[in-house]
Structure formats: C-alpha cells, structure tokens
RNA sequence: GGCGCAUUCGUCUAGUGGCCUAGGACACCGCCCUCUCACGGCGGCGGCACGGGUUCGAAUCCCGUAUGCGCCUCCA
C-alpha cells in the first residue's frame, strides 16, 4: 500500500488498504507500507505519523519497516540513465522521458476486471525524471514494485490508465510484472468522489465520532466485496478467511453512512459490558471529557443498546455528571405527579431501580395517569430531557439527594 | 475531445443461460413490544439503464446507444 503523505488517511484509501491487508493475510503473504513522497511540494508535516496512527487504531498491521519513495531517488536516476543508454528513454528540456511504443496494445489480466487493453498510440512519452532530478510517481512506483518484490499491486481504479505506462517501464528494464488488481472507487451519495461535503472522510473523524474500528473494517470490507449474498457481520478472522480478489466487484460503490451507523450499533451491542464501558471511557478521555470513570462504568449498561456511535453517549448521560436545565413549558401540567413522586421517593428503601419502579408506578396509577403520561414529566425533571436511559435505573444512579432536589426544582 | 472502466431495489450486494413471478442487508413505511429513546419481532414498498442480436430459453453471452466515473501534470 502506497499512500502519499498529503494529509489524514482518507476512508477510501483505508478500503483499498483493507483489501490489500485481507489479501496478504489470507495468503500468508507480506503486506508492505511505502510512502510515496516524490512530490515534496505537497508533503504535509506529521502526515506519515498520522497515517501510521490511523492504521494502528484500525489494527491493520503491516510487515517490515515503512519505506519512502524518495530514498530511492539515486537508484531511479541510475535506471533512467541506463534506459537512455538503451534507447528506451531520451532527454527533453532537462527531464528524461520514456519512449512509449506506438504500435500494438499493452494489456494485462486484471485480477478484478479481467483483460484490460490500451492501444499503444494513446500512450504518451512520460517524464521519468524531472528536470530537478526527482523521479516521478509513474517511474518510481513500478521500479519500487520491482525492487521490493511486490507480487500483487492492489490499488484503486483511478490507476487503471497508469498501468499500461508502468507495465512498459517494467518490461523495458527486463523485470517480471506483478499481478494488478484495480478495486472500485468509493464515492459519496451523489456518485462523486467522496469528499467533505458528504460527511466524514478522514479516519480521525470517524474515530472522533465514536465508530468502533472493527465495525469500520467490517463495513469497508463490504464496499465492493461480498462473500455471498447473505452474510454481513463478519469478524476479522472470518473476513481474512473468506476474502478473495475474484469476488471483488468492478463497479464503484457509494458510502452509506446510515448503514455504517447501523453496523456500528450492532458492534456496540455485541461488546461485553466491560469492553463497552472501557471503549466509552477511552473515547471520553480522547475527547477531553473529565467525567468520573466509575460513574461512566455504571452508566454504560443503561445506554449500550441505544447508541450507534459513542459520541451519542453524552446526550444520554450528561444529567448524571452535570446540572440540568429544565424548561417549565415541557413539564406541562406535570407538577402534581412530580410532587407525588418526590413524596414517594423520600425515604424509600432500598433506593434501587426495582423498588423505585414499584413506587413510581403506584404514584402514576393513583393519579389515574397512563404510564407514559405520568413518567414523562418525572423524566424531564430528573434528566432535563424527553429522551433518556431507563427512568428507574437513571434515578437509582443519580441518587436520592440529587433526584429529590431536581424534583423540587421542577415542581416549584 | 481522446483513451479506459462501469451500469441488478434509494444504498451495499447475491446472481456466471433454465433453481429468478430476481434473494439478503441498510434506509423508508405500517403493526406489535414499551416509562421516552433505542433494541427486538412481524409485514410492506422497491430493481435487472435502453435498443438490437445469439438461443428452445437471457439479469446472465455478443453488438450498439445512453449515462456516470477515472485518466490524459516535470501530481500521486
């Protein structure tokens, strides 16, 4: 996998990454990370560290040291000189250009698309080495594939038209060709290249929004690939076991955020209670919340089946950590039930969810209210919101003192 | 404009000539469950881009058209 260090790792790039990783792990091969930094003018500081950090977060591990294209500048220049000497290339205004054949076709058997052919007369003589001495991507990339012993080049479909050029270069130096596999692009909802206006695009943004790495990996794997028509939820091991390039579809996919949200919810719910609490605490820490971890741990089971993203947690649980603002208009005639609830809870023993539920149901029944009519004003008074975790569990966690104070404030 | 790639429900896809009056999942709609939200259960809506061929038979094979996308940089 060969990203260029121009910023955060793009989610489309991750999908290509993932296919490479799954293929390598499935076959017990090696998965290499190479940074294509020949265009020094576009390089962004820290980008390499961010890319590596994103991959670690996703748990997509690579083999060996990360290599840098720029480190092979001298080797590339030597090859270019040799190509000139052999008549495969020539000098042009200080640069070195490769002489493309102008008859026949250049073709390969793409592992995803089958046979692809380009007429050679449509291939232009491309620059191998710029006039400032730096090799270009289309020269350095195939040469590194050769030097690194790359057997399979798995990349996005926008590289299809680069492939015949690279094939001709590799052929000219007399090396063996790798297998090429061009996987489909990932687009936004309008069929255009996935960009900011479609939503999150950087791995860091997905992390901040509270997506689980496993869910993201599972979702991405299904963009352009399916093991069959039925299976959607798959562990990493199952993904590795079942992945094959033959089953990658050639047509572009659109990134469906709604489906990702659903899948992330599936993964959140499947987490053991401890692991979910741990993920929550970690995420809150990363986002700068200073909420008590013990209380977060207790609140976690109340919300686990409600969340599709970790970032939804604060909206549900804020009332446990901070004071609430109650809009009197929302109480809307609920003062009697709030007052009665306060009386019922005062002195109630034990102060646990089951006992609280019995007491409050009694209050509601006595006032002749339907459960939903009766509980809603209490919920708003206690949590400050019309939407909350289970009322009785919430009150237990909040504690008697705070609950009574909030009920008093709302009833007055 | 040239070259290339692609085209099954709104979306992700299954389908490799008869098993397809096209299956699954997300989304959407309805009902049920229910203290809100969510989860869960049940049901519904909805698709082979178009036109020719090949064949006893085509979503599946061939040709053309249309549309979308990519590349055509001394970017990667």
């Amino acid at each position: 996998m060969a990203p260029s260090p121009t910023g955060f790792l793009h989610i489309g790039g991750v999908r290509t990454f993932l296919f490479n990783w799954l293929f390598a792990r499935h076959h017990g091969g090696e998965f290499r990370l190479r940074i294509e930094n020949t265009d020094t003018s576009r390089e962004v500081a820290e980008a390499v560290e961010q890319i590596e950090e994103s991959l670690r977060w996703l748990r997509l591990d690579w083999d060996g040291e990360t290599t840098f294209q720029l480190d092979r500048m001298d080797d590339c220049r030597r090859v270019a000189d040799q190509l000139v000497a052999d008549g495969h290339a020539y000098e042009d205004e200080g640069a070195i250009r490769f002489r493309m054949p102008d008859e026949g076709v250049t073709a390969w058997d793409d592992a995803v698309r089958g046979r692809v052919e380009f007429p050679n007369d449509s291939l232009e003589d491309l620059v191998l080495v710029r006039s400032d001495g730096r090799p270009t991507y289309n020269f350095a990339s195939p040469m590194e594939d050769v030097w690194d012993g790359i057997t399979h080049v798995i990349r996005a479909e926008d590289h299809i038209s680069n492939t015949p050029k690279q094939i001709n270069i590799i052929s000219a130096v007399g090396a063996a060709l790798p297998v090429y596999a061009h996987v489909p692009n990932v687009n936004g909802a309008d069929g255009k290249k996935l960009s900011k206006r479609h939503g999150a695009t950087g791995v860091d943004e997905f992390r901040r929004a509270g997506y689980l790495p496993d869910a993201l990996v599972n979702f991405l794997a299904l963009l352009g690939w399916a093991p069959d028509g039925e299976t959607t939820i798959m562990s990493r091991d199952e993904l590795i076991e079942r992945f094959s390039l033959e089953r990658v579809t050639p047509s572009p996919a659109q990134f469906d955020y709604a489906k990702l949200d659903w899948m992330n919810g599936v993964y959140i719910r499947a987490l053991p209670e401890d692991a979910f609490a741990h993920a929550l605490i970690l995420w809150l820490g990363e986002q700068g919340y200073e909420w008590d971890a013990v209380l977060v741990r207790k609140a976690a089971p109340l919300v686990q089946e409600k969340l599709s993203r970790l970032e939804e947690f604060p909206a549900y649980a804020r009332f446990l950590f901070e004071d609430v603002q109650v809009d009197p208009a929302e109480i809307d005639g609920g003062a009697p039930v709030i007052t009665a609830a306060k009386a019922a809870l005062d002195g109630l023993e034990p102060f646990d969810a089951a006992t609280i539920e019995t007491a409050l149901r009694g209050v509601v029944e006595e006032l002749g209210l339907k459960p939903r009519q009766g509980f809603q004003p209490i919920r708003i008074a206690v949590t400050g919101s019309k939407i909350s975790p289970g009322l009785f569990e919430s009150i237990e966690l909040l504690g008697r003192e705070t609950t009574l104070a909030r009920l008093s404030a709302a009833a007055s």
Side-chain angles (χ1 to χ4, degrees):
Chain A
M1 182 67 199
S4 54
T6 53
F8 285 106
L9 193 55
H10 190 270
I11 198 69
V14 173
R15 204 284 311 261
T16 307
F17 232 107
L18 178 61
F19 282 6
N20 272 283
W21 185 81
L22 290 172
F23 180 78
R25 296 296 172 247
H26 176 90
H27 291 284
E30 239 179 69
F31 175 47
R32 305 294 297 272
L33 177 60
R34 177 209 298 163
I35 304 296
E36 312 231 292
N37 57 345
T38 54
D39 185 6
T40 45
S41 65
R42 291 208 310 164
E43 187 160 352
V44 173
E46 313 295 308
V48 173
E49 288 75 12
Q50 283 163 356
I51 288 169
E52 292 186 337
E53 172 56 22
S54 289
L55 291 173
R56 275 191 290 270
W57 178 70
L58 290 161
R59 287 172 38 229
L60 299 180
D61 57 319
W62 61 98
D63 300 307
E65 293 292 302
T66 303
T67 59
F68 293 84
Q69 198 155 70
L70 216 46
D71 293 345
R72 312 246 236 201
M73 268 176 59
D74 294 339
D75 297 316
C76 284
R77 275 196 292 257
R78 262 192 293 280
V79 172
D81 289 341
Q82 188 59 48
L83 286 170
V84 172
D86 294 344
H88 285 298
Y90 57 92
E91 292 195 31
D92 176 31
E93 307 215 17
I96 298 176
R97 278 188 190 272
F98 186 79
R99 207 186 298 282
M100 287 290 169
D102 37 36
E103 288 179 359
V105 298
T106 299
W108 73 96
D109 292 308
D110 197 282
V112 169
R113 286 150 211 277
R115 189 109 184 132
V116 181
E117 292 188 352
F118 278 78
N120 284 334
D121 60 14
S122 71
L123 269 27
E124 300 205 347
D125 289 359
L126 66 87
V127 171
L128 299 177
V129 180
R130 300 173 173 94
S131 51
D132 67 3
R134 285 154 40 230
T136 59
Y137 158 79
N138 266 316
F139 179 42
S141 188
M143 286 315 301
E144 287 203 276
D145 291 340
V146 169
W147 293 325
D148 292 340
I150 301 298
T151 57
H152 297 259
V153 174
I154 303 170
R155 43 156 64 152
E157 66 178 308
D158 35 300
H159 284 289
I160 291 177
S161 39
N162 285 326
T163 304
K165 303 172 191 172
Q166 300 183 0
I167 284 176
N168 277 299
I169 291 171
I170 293 178
S171 300
V173 301
L177 293 171
V179 172
Y180 290 97
H182 290 94
V183 305
N185 280 332
V186 176
N187 295 326
D190 53 3
K192 300 245 195 317
K193 201 171 167 151
L194 193 63
S195 70
K196 287 290 170 206
R197 68 198 152 84
H198 298 113
T201 55
V203 173
D204 56 308
E205 295 172 88
F206 286 92
R207 183 174 182 171
R208 254 183 276 131
Y211 290 100
L212 266 23
D214 285 358
L216 210 44
V217 162
N218 192 159
F219 175 77
L220 255 17
L222 259 17
L223 248 34
W225 174 79
D228 54 54
E230 316 291 313
T231 319
T232 51
I233 303 296
M234 280 169 282
S235 68
R236 278 169 201 262
D237 286 346
E238 191 174 1
L239 253 16
I240 289 169
E241 191 191 322
R242 303 186 70 169
F243 185 80
S244 76
L245 286 176
E246 290 67 41
R247 288 196 66 86
V248 173
T249 51
S251 52
Q254 292 187 21
F255 196 100
D256 185 352
Y257 291 90
K259 187 167 185 177
L260 204 214
D261 281 2
W262 164 78
M263 191 173 282
N264 202 55
V266 171
Y267 272 83
I268 284 178
R269 276 172 250 129
L271 243 30
E273 206 173 290
D274 278 0
F276 173 63
H278 183 69
L280 221 38
I281 290 166
L282 222 60
W283 182 86
L284 288 165
E286 282 175 16
Q287 302 311 312
Y289 285 87
E290 290 176 358
W291 289 358
D292 176 42
V294 174
L295 191 49
V296 171
R297 199 166 281 285
K298 286 181 185 163
L302 273 54
V303 298
Q304 185 165 2
E305 71 171 21
K306 298 179 188 298
L307 302 188
S308 60
R309 282 168 275 124
L310 299 181
E311 74 173 353
E312 293 167 347
F313 177 71
Y316 276 109
R318 175 163 280 115
F319 75 97
L320 290 168
F321 303 88
E322 299 171 4
D323 287 339
V324 298
Q325 294 283 333
V326 176
D327 178 358
E330 290 197 331
I331 299 292
D332 187 32
V337 75
I338 291 174
T339 305
K342 192 185 155 212
L345 261 22
D346 195 358
L348 186 71
E349 287 295 344
F351 201 74
D352 61 25
T355 312
I356 292 166
E357 174 164 7
T358 306
L360 290 183
R361 282 195 189 281
V363 165
V364 166
E365 200 176 329
E366 220 163 282
L367 292 175
L369 296 170
K370 288 180 180 167
R372 60 188 309 144
Q373 290 175 312
F375 292 134
Q376 202 60 354
I378 303 174
R379 179 193 319 284
I380 292 168
V382 171
T383 71
S385 169
K386 286 190 274 195
I387 300 168
S388 80
L391 221 208
F392 319 117
E393 293 79 2
S394 294
I395 289 175
E396 178 188 338
L397 256 192
L398 234 204
R400 190 196 311 272
E401 196 184 334
T402 310
T403 302
L404 293 181
R406 288 185 185 177
L407 289 173
S408 297
S412 61

